[in-house]
């Protein structure tokens, strides 16, 4: 135990030992007070970096002789800490990535079922299913002077942002 404490307070480990105490105090406060943060990646990133770098510096301090290589241990610990933190955080970043907001363009390429009596170049509605399983009734217009009837399946191939409607074609005939 005395060797561990000696290594923990020796240069360069002592730098990260102090940071480790700050990280532990932070997480203890989070647990006891129940702090809530919107971007958990930053506190997790900093904490992981400090813990990994502290451990790398501790191992380097124990394995190297006094004095001569301590600055190399510091540099190596920082490098190991940065690389391992980046690797470990890949799944955390993917997990905390905000969801892409829904867009009307998400319906382009999907099929829709005609819900009005007819769909022409100037009028019509159809029901389309989103990725989450929900459905939406959207304004559609038939392309190429064709007319679609209620119950027919159409392919949404474009969105007209100015008119706020989707262009569709009959899926059975392709036009």
């Amino acid at each position: 135990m005395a060797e561990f404490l000696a290594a923990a307070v020796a240069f360069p480990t002592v730098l990260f030992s102090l940071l480790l105490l700050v990280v532990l105090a932070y997480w203890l406060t989070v647990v006891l007070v129940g702090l809530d943060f919107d971007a958990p990646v930053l506190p997790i990133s900093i904490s992981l970096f400090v813990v990994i770098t502290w451990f790398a510096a501790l191992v380097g301090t124990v394995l190297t002789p006094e004095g001569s290589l301590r600055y190399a241990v510091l540099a190596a610990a920082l490098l190991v800490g940065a690389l391992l933190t980046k690797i470990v955080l890949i799944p955390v970043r993917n997990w905390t990535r905000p969801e892409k907001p829904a867009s009307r363009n998400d319906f382009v390429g999907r099929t829709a079922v005609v819900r009005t009596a007819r769909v022409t170049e100037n009028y019509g509605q159809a029901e389309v299913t989103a990725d989450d399983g929900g459905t939406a009734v959207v304004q559609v217009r038939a392309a190429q002077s064709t007319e679609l009837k209620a119950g027919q399946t159409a392919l949404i191939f474009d969105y007209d942002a100015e008119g706020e409607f989707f262009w569709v074609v009959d899926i059975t005939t392709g036009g």
Side-chain angles (χ1 to χ4, degrees):
M1 184 69 169
E3 290 179 16
F4 172 77
L5 289 175
V9 296
F11 181 80
T13 310
V14 69
L15 301 173
F16 303 109
S17 294
L18 297 173
L19 291 174
L20 186 62
L21 291 174
V22 171
V23 166
L24 290 173
Y26 170 79
W27 286 109
L28 185 62
T29 305
V30 167
V31 169
L32 293 177
V33 178
L35 294 179
D36 187 23
F37 44 85
D38 292 331
V41 175
L42 186 61
I44 292 171
S45 299
I46 292 169
S47 300
L48 275 174
F49 175 74
V50 168
V51 169
I52 292 169
T53 307
W54 174 82
F55 185 74
L58 183 69
V59 169
T61 300
V62 169
L63 296 178
T64 59
E66 284 288 326
S68 62
L69 298 174
R70 294 301 166 104
Y71 286 102
V73 168
L74 175 62
L78 289 168
L79 182 64
V80 167
L83 290 175
L84 287 179
T85 300
K86 187 167 182 77
I87 291 168
V88 169
L89 285 178
I90 290 171
V92 174
R93 285 200 174 106
N94 291 338
W95 172 62
T96 59
R97 184 170 291 143
E99 288 190 31
K100 182 183 106 183
S103 166
R104 290 185 176 145
N105 289 324
D106 292 343
F107 289 138
V108 174
R110 295 185 180 275
T111 58
V113 178
V114 175
R115 292 296 178 217
T116 52
R118 60 187 165 77
V119 173
T120 66
E121 290 180 341
N122 302 313
Y123 169 81
Q125 291 182 338
E127 184 177 0
V128 63
T129 304
D131 282 336
D132 64 1
T135 59
V137 175
V138 295
Q139 300 297 316
V140 293
R141 303 294 181 262
Q144 303 172 353
S145 300
T146 59
E147 189 172 303
L148 296 158
K149 306 283 184 207
Q152 278 187 283
T153 302
L155 175 68
I156 299 173
F157 70 89
D158 196 14
Y159 177 68
D160 185 317
E162 188 175 310
E164 294 187 349
F165 61 83
F166 294 93
W167 286 105
V168 294
V169 293
D170 183 358
I171 199 166
T172 57
T173 63

